[in-house]
Amino acid sequence: MTAPVVYKVGGPALEDPALLGPLAAEVKRASGPVVLVHGGGRQVNRLLEALAIESRFIEGRRVTSPEAMEVVEMVLSGLANKALAAGLTTAGVLAAGISCRDAGLVMARLEPNLGRVGLPETVRPALVQALWAAGIVPVVSPVASTEDGASVNVNADEAALGLARSLGASALVYLSDVDGVRIGDSAVSSLTAREAEARITDGTIAGGMVLKVRVALEAARSIPQVVIAGRARLEGRFAGTTITAEEVRS
């Protein structure tokens, strides 16, 4: 089998119905079987706010109380997951929505001081492979389980990396609300580890992009192609920023 391609879908690619057709076309062009892992942070934020449940972040990760975890799972594994799978199917890509909890797809370990937040620890890709065998594209919510079966909030970028490694992916594409990593006034076509660390240190790369870039750099150590991209990629205007794992030297 040709090596698969993993997409992490967030931002406009997840929320704008007009981009479902271009996203489906991107999936059809992929060189191998595809799995999509999605986020949905803004939808989660809206429901948490409506329910008066506190929402805060530490270094790009949502601090998740048990009450917030119920909302996270409801939105990500429910509304966002099923809408994306149905939209892709309507656009001509047969897709099925699952979560990292299904068939033990991703087991996670809890991170300290963040509540129900975890990092991928074990990936069992049998369910993804079964869907591929049936000609179906898996659309995956990043909500995972701990070893005792409880739900845990996993950052979608990190869930996508865990799946990409387990599946031996040839490419990992992060589609978000930016068209790439911006240095100055525009997104750059490529970024090395040395350049990334320098731009993080001087504050050029900041906020949630710091975690995204660090995860992408980690991915580039074992995955041949890693890209941070957005709407412009789907519209054929800019393919995104290719991340390379050049070692940082002192």
Side-chain angles (χ1 to χ4, degrees), residues 25-49:
E26 170 94 12
V27 169
K28 290 176 182 177
R29 286 193 298 269
S31 58
V34 170
V35 58
L36 287 86
V37 180
H38 66 82
R42 283 195 280 266
Q43 296 99 312
V44 171
N45 288 342
R46 287 194 290 268
L47 188 50
L48 287 172
E49 183 177 354

Side-chain angles (χ1 to χ4, degrees), residues 18 22 59 65 69 104 109 123 135 139 149 171 213 224 240 248:
E59 296 182 348
S65 66
M69 187 66 240
R109 68 178 186 276
V123 179
V139 174
V213 168
V248 178

Side-chain angles (χ1 to χ4, degrees), residues 10-241:
L14 178 63
E15 299 170 3
D16 185 350
L19 289 179
L20 281 170
L23 178 59
E26 170 94 12
V27 169
K28 290 176 182 177
R29 286 193 298 269
S31 58
V34 170
V35 58
L36 287 86
V37 180
H38 66 82
R42 283 195 280 266
Q43 296 99 312
V44 171
N45 288 342
R46 287 194 290 268
L47 188 50
L48 287 172
E49 183 177 354
L51 295 173
I53 297 173
E54 181 185 19
S55 182
R56 62 189 179 95
F57 292 81
I58 296 177
E59 296 182 348
R61 293 186 175 88
R62 184 188 301 275
V63 178
T64 308
S65 66
E67 295 78 13
M69 187 66 240
E70 291 184 357
V71 173
V72 167
E73 185 160 24
M74 182 189 310
V75 173
L76 296 188
S77 299
L79 297 172
N81 182 263
K82 302 309 176 187
L84 181 56
L88 285 169
T89 299
T90 299
V93 173
L94 196 61
I98 60 174
S99 83
C100 287
R101 299 190 77 186
D102 294 324
L105 180 57
V106 175
M107 307 301 291
R109 68 178 186 276
L110 289 176
E111 283 282 89
N113 305 315
L114 293 174
R116 301 299 308 173
V117 172
L119 287 175
E121 190 168 49
T122 304
V123 179
R124 303 183 179 102
L127 179 56
V128 166
Q129 293 162 338
L131 289 170
W132 283 341
I136 297 170
V137 172
V139 174
V140 184
S141 157
V143 175
S145 294
T146 54
E147 286 297 334
D148 63 1
S151 61
V152 60
N153 185 14
V154 173
N155 179 279
D157 292 350
E158 292 170 321
L161 172 54
L163 279 167
R165 282 175 169 163
S166 176
L167 293 164
S170 63
L172 173 56
V173 180
Y174 290 108
L175 290 170
S176 66
D177 55 0
V178 294
D179 289 332
V181 181
R182 297 183 69 87
I183 305 295
D185 294 332
S186 60
V188 295
S189 60
S190 63
L191 189 70
T192 67
R194 183 193 303 225
E195 293 164 340
E197 291 295 348
R199 299 291 77 81
I200 290 170
T201 298
D202 68 20
T204 302
I205 297 173
M209 183 57 72
V210 174
L211 177 60
K212 187 178 296 294
V213 168
R214 290 201 186 281
V215 173
L217 287 169
E218 179 63 27
R221 298 181 188 277
S222 56
I223 297 167
Q225 183 181 34
V226 179
V227 180
I228 295 175
R231 177 188 292 270
R233 179 184 178 96
L234 298 178
E235 294 176 344
R237 294 183 286 110
F238 179 67
T241 302

